[in-house]
Amino acid sequence: VGKNPVTGTGSDKINVLYQKGPERTLAKINELTGLDIQYYMVIDNQALIELVDVIGGVEFNVPINMNYDDKTQNLHIHLKAGLQTLDGDGAEQLLRFRKNNNGTTYPEEYGDNDYGRMRTQREFMIETAKQTLQAKNILKVKDIIDIVYEYVETNLSIATIKDYVPYAVNVDINSITSAVVP
């Protein structure tokens, strides 16, 4: 943030700025990109975990075998690579994975270390959104809204959200994309 990659330090990361609040992060991203993004949503991982269970799981292509255990956190990650339906527990394992017990992580061609982790998290969020915005989940709207109220921070007002609901129903789920700020 504000420095080139050669002179940048760990304190120049967007994550550090985020600790000062999402509004400041949004302002800096708009400055860096030249965009005029007005709204933000901060989604707690727990929202995704609970949402996955509400919609009956998310079909996702786990990019690598993930095997990690940390007894101090009671964290046990054991997922096989490949297309599968993840429940909330599987989603949490996927979202929290950093490295295997033997120290290996995502391969360089996928995006090693943090880049691989962030890529997996973004792709999983997109898949969760796509699979949530399906007609079969219309009867689960109250449960979905309850999760949003508990685990999502946003600067969108209720009135603005209501204005966007008709558009959300008609969104082309295949057009959802994401990007990363280097």
Side-chain angles (χ1 to χ4, degrees):
V1 177
K3 294 187 179 186
N4 69 47
V6 175
T7 61
T9 66
S11 63
D12 294 314
K13 291 182 176 181
I14 289 288
N15 292 0
V16 174
L17 183 62
Y18 173 72
Q19 293 172 4
K20 297 177 182 176
E23 293 86 2
R24 289 184 68 181
T25 306
L26 181 61
K28 181 55 78 173
I29 288 172
N30 281 336
E31 178 188 323
L32 289 170
T33 63
L35 297 172
D36 184 26
I37 301 169
Q38 297 177 20
Y39 304 115
Y40 67 84
M41 294 181 93
V42 178
I43 303 170
D44 186 301
N45 277 356
Q46 192 62 35
L48 286 173
I49 293 162
E50 291 192 20
L51 181 60
V52 165
D53 280 335
V54 164
I55 65 170
V58 169
E59 190 173 68
F60 188 74
N61 190 15
V62 176
I64 62 170
N65 288 332
M66 299 178 175
N67 291 295
Y68 178 76
D69 296 283
D70 183 345
K71 292 179 179 150
T72 63
Q73 296 183 61
N74 194 27
L75 176 61
H76 304 283
I77 300 172
H78 300 287
L79 296 172
K80 294 278 186 203
L83 187 64
Q84 58 201 280
T85 300
L86 296 174
D87 62 6
D89 180 58
E92 181 175 18
Q93 292 178 51
L94 181 84
L95 294 168
R96 294 186 66 187
F97 177 79
R98 289 183 184 273
K99 64 180 179 178
N100 287 304
N101 288 328
N102 66 7
T104 61
T105 186
Y106 295 97
E108 191 172 333
E109 63 272 10
Y110 181 82
D112 62 354
N113 296 323
D114 284 341
Y115 288 106
R117 182 174 191 240
M118 290 183 290
R119 175 180 173 182
T120 299
Q121 289 173 340
R122 282 193 323 275
E123 289 178 2
F124 185 75
M125 286 193 311
I126 290 170
E127 272 310 308
T128 302
K130 287 179 179 180
Q131 293 178 39
T132 300
L133 295 172
Q134 294 179 0
K136 69 177 185 169
N137 291 321
I138 195 72
L139 298 176
K140 300 171 184 170
V141 168
K142 186 204 177 302
D143 293 330
I144 293 168
I145 289 171
D146 288 346
I147 291 168
V148 169
Y149 271 115
E150 186 168 355
Y151 296 108
V152 175
E153 177 186 352
T154 182
N155 64 345
L156 284 160
S157 69
I158 296 296
T160 304
I161 291 170
K162 285 180 182 176
D163 288 344
Y164 281 102
V165 167
Y167 300 105
V169 172
N170 295 316
V171 73
D172 174 9
I173 60 175
N174 293 312
S175 69
I176 298 173
T177 61
S178 74
V180 64
V181 177

